[in-house]
Amino acid sequence: MSGSRNIVVLTGAGISAESGVDTFRDEGGIWSQVRLEDVATPEGFAADPVRVQSFYNARRAQLPLVEPNPAHFALARLEREFEGSVMIVTQNIDDLHERAGSQKVIHMHGELKKALCCACKKSFPHESDLSLEEACPKCGQVGTLRPDVVWFGEMPYQMDRIYDLLRHCDLFLSVGTSGNVYPAAQFVQEAGQHGAHTIEINLEPSLGVSDFEDTRHGKAGELLPIFVDELLTGSYHF
Ligand code: BV8
């Protein structure tokens, strides 16, 4: 395996499913419990900020109760042991990749453990419940804090950097995402058009399955450790 090769890994809610974190669109998933429009849009936040704060407070409070699973640990091993570069671009807002040991992680949809001030636009770590009575530690204004997550209709983070990574990677691996949400759902085409080998590892075929050159369907916690072994031993050719 030559050292100059680059791997980009896109992850979605499915990689955290075996850790006990709800996905969005599976049976009983988050969007079957609450309307996306009400809790994951700027309009929903403006209409009922208390409802949105409590939706994210409940998900943030769950983080200490869940653990990374073998899929997260497999990607952290890949980053440590692969001769080239490994970058995770995650749609997830949990901290499980970092807790499994991954150091190169881009949270394109933000992070539950960060807050953003609507007034001064500063983001900062925030692990407890967010409330409207809280003052921004940066500008001092009260009632301007929101979860630092990217809602529908908002620009995902670090898009220029992500597209640059996609255009220069040799392997694009997508794990645990249904391919519903853009622009993440288009990344496989961007990578493939620039010469990357593309593979999907997902419980079931995603909406974008036909864009991938290779697919493996099953649980990420079972399939990813095997796949990482194949990458590290060179038995998976790309
Ligand atoms: C934007 C917030 C402009 C935090 C989220 C066409 C082009 C461009 C945009 C659009 C378009 N059409 C519509 C849009 C707008 C919209 C969009 O995509 N809407 C969808 C609903 C149609 N997109 C946006 O608004 C985005 N912004 O477009 O800005 C722009 C355009 C171009 C370039 C730059 C900017 C902003 C989107 C971000 C929204 N915020 N989250 C939060 O609350 O979490 S999205 C939300 O969905 C989560 O982040 C989640 O991660 C994400 C994607 O869901 P998945 O991760 O895929 O989860 P899902 O449940 O769907 O699937 C789980 C999968 O795992 C399943 O396939 C299942 O089979 C599998 N699985 C389950 N268990 C396992 C497993 N796999 C393996 N092992 C297991 N054990």
Side-chain angles (χ1 to χ4, degrees), residues 145-212:
L145 300 185
R146 59 170 274 189
D148 188 7
V149 299
V150 176
W151 285 325
F152 288 94
E154 297 185 321
M155 181 73 80
Y157 287 141
Q158 303 195 52
M159 290 308 296
D160 292 342
R161 183 176 172 213
I162 291 170
Y163 279 112
D164 188 53
L165 287 163
L166 295 170
R167 293 169 186 155
H168 294 93
C169 71
D170 303 288
L171 177 68
F172 177 79
L173 164 62
S174 179
V175 185
T177 182
S178 63
N180 270 284
V181 174
Y182 288 81
Q186 185 266 343
F187 288 172
V188 55
Q189 292 169 345
E190 192 70 26
Q193 283 159 14
H194 286 82
H197 178 74
T198 56
I199 178 169
E200 166 178 281
I201 294 181
N202 206 55
L203 189 63
E204 57 202 14
S206 73
L207 292 179
V209 65
S210 58
D211 294 327
F212 289 89

